Amino acid sequence: MKKIICFFLVVFLSVAIYSNFLNSKIEKEKNISLGNALKYLKEQRNEYTKIEDIPKELINATVSIEDKRFFYHLGFDPIAIGRSAYLNIKNKRIMGGGSTITQQLVKNMFLSQDQSYIRKVNEIILSVIMEFKYSKEEILEMYLNEVYFGAGANGIGEAAKIYFNKEVKDLNLSESSFLAGLPQAPSNYNPYNNLKLARKRQARVLESMVRNNHITKEQMDEILNEKLTLTKISYKSSMNKEEKFVKSKLFFFILNIRISLLI
């Protein structure tokens, strides 16, 4: 019994020391730490939205599609990780997936986007620490204000304005379920480029809400049968940074050719 206690004590101390080192390294490199994450986001976002101004429908939609056991785990989901590990072994490569909302927040704010087991371990350790430092509501608030929704929308405040010209608190169930599906692949699900695919993603969000008893099947069918009214924006404003960069380079390339011909 003493050996078992000593073993877990050594593991606990090792993780504590390593996590402290990891947090210090992140603070040095990115000038941000787990301790000031909430304050940092509030300063960085022009449209920061507090949890009390986020509709329950949006919270339910996000949790249902991204992390249905969010309110019960300690930062990581062993069931989801096990399923992801099985797929990785089966496909003989790192497929990703299995990340909780807390893990996604940690990865986006503190870590790189590379697919490696070392990054995954760091992600889990930092996620557990974050769960002890912040409440579930604070973590969800940070996640929704940090995550990218496509079309230049960083955070739910900008997303509500860009897609529906609304304040977050005024979003309805249809709009909330639509927005909740975008963060998984913002470019692919950009409705200004592919509305059909974006609506299919919304259907998946609604199906997950039905499975988790947040809405009825009748509500889902009603939403899917009604037209979704989006704010009209130009294609230019919906382009991501990479597309804008390529177009600007192409413009100056053509301009230089014309100038050369004139000379």
Side-chain angles (χ1 to χ4, degrees):
M1 187 65 182
K2 286 183 179 180
K3 288 183 178 179
I4 295 174
I5 294 173
C6 287
F7 171 76
F8 281 108
L9 185 60
V10 169
V11 171
F12 175 79
L13 289 173
S14 299
V15 172
I17 293 169
Y18 179 71
S19 62
N20 187 56
F21 161 75
L22 190 60
N23 195 33
S24 298
K25 183 182 178 183
I26 291 169
E27 188 171 7
K28 184 178 180 180
E29 293 177 353
K30 298 194 174 185
N31 197 30
I32 180 176
S33 68
L34 286 171
N36 68 2
L38 185 58
K39 181 183 177 183
Y40 175 84
L41 264 180
K42 286 181 178 180
E43 292 173 349
Q44 292 295 311
R45 289 289 180 260
N46 294 324
E47 297 282 348
Y48 190 88
T49 309
K50 292 183 178 180
I51 193 70
E52 54 263 31
D53 293 323
I54 299 174
K56 187 178 179 181
E57 291 84 358
L58 179 57
I59 291 173
N60 289 338
T62 301
V63 172
S64 291
I65 195 64
E66 292 292 341
D67 183 7
K68 65 181 180 180
R69 287 178 284 272
F70 172 71
F71 289 103
Y72 306 101
H73 61 61
L74 291 174
F76 66 98
D77 187 345
I79 296 173
I81 290 176
R83 183 173 61 248
S84 178
Y86 168 75
L87 292 173
N88 290 343
I89 294 170
K90 183 181 178 181
N91 293 280
K92 296 180 180 179
R93 63 189 180 91
I94 300 175
M95 300 285 291
S99 294
T100 63
I101 284 174
T102 314
Q103 285 176 260
Q104 292 179 53
L105 176 63
V106 163
K107 179 178 69 175
N108 292 340
M109 289 191 73
F110 307 112
L111 303 174
S112 65
Q113 299 295 316
D114 67 301
Q115 297 283 0
S116 70
Y117 290 112
I118 292 175
R119 197 268 295 158
K120 198 71 176 178
V121 170
N122 291 340
E123 183 181 292
I124 291 172
I125 291 172
L126 291 174
S127 295
V128 173
I129 297 171
M130 179 162 272
E131 289 276 347
F132 281 100
K133 284 185 175 292
Y134 299 97
S135 67
K136 288 289 185 179
E137 288 72 22
E138 287 174 327
I139 291 171
L140 196 54
E141 177 180 305
M142 284 190 281
Y143 171 80
L144 286 169
N145 280 284
E146 193 283 332
V147 74
Y148 183 60
F149 287 87
N154 291 297
I156 189 62
E158 291 185 6
K161 288 280 181 68
I162 288 174
Y163 291 112
F164 300 110
N165 194 27
K166 284 187 174 185
E167 297 294 329
V168 177
K169 60 183 177 64
D170 297 323
L171 293 170
N172 59 35
L173 176 58
S174 177
E175 294 158 347
S176 294
S177 62
F178 179 81
L179 292 177
L182 299 180
Q184 187 193 59
S187 297
N188 294 340
Y189 296 132
N190 186 332
Y192 299 109
N193 297 334
N194 195 333
L195 181 59
K196 187 177 179 180
L197 189 62
R199 290 286 277 178
K200 282 185 178 180
R201 177 62 178 168
Q202 182 187 22
R204 289 194 62 186
V205 174
L206 291 166
E207 286 168 1
S208 71
M209 293 182 77
V210 172
R211 285 196 302 271
N212 290 297
N213 300 314
H214 291 306
I215 61 171
T216 63
K217 189 177 183 303
E218 288 72 26
Q219 284 177 293
M220 178 185 75
D221 292 338
E222 184 181 347
I223 290 170
L224 293 177
N225 287 326
E226 68 183 19
K227 183 181 178 181
L228 185 72
T229 304
L230 293 164
T231 303
K232 291 182 180 180
I233 63 172
S234 65
Y235 176 74
K236 183 179 179 182
S237 65
S238 71
M239 289 189 299
N240 58 36
K241 292 179 180 179
E242 290 77 12
E243 289 173 318
K244 289 180 180 179
F245 176 77
V246 171
K247 281 186 175 287
S248 65
K249 285 289 184 181
L250 182 60
F251 170 77
F252 285 111
F253 175 73
I254 294 171
L255 184 64
N256 285 335
I257 290 176
R258 288 180 176 177
I259 291 172
S260 297
L261 290 174
L262 288 171
I263 294 172

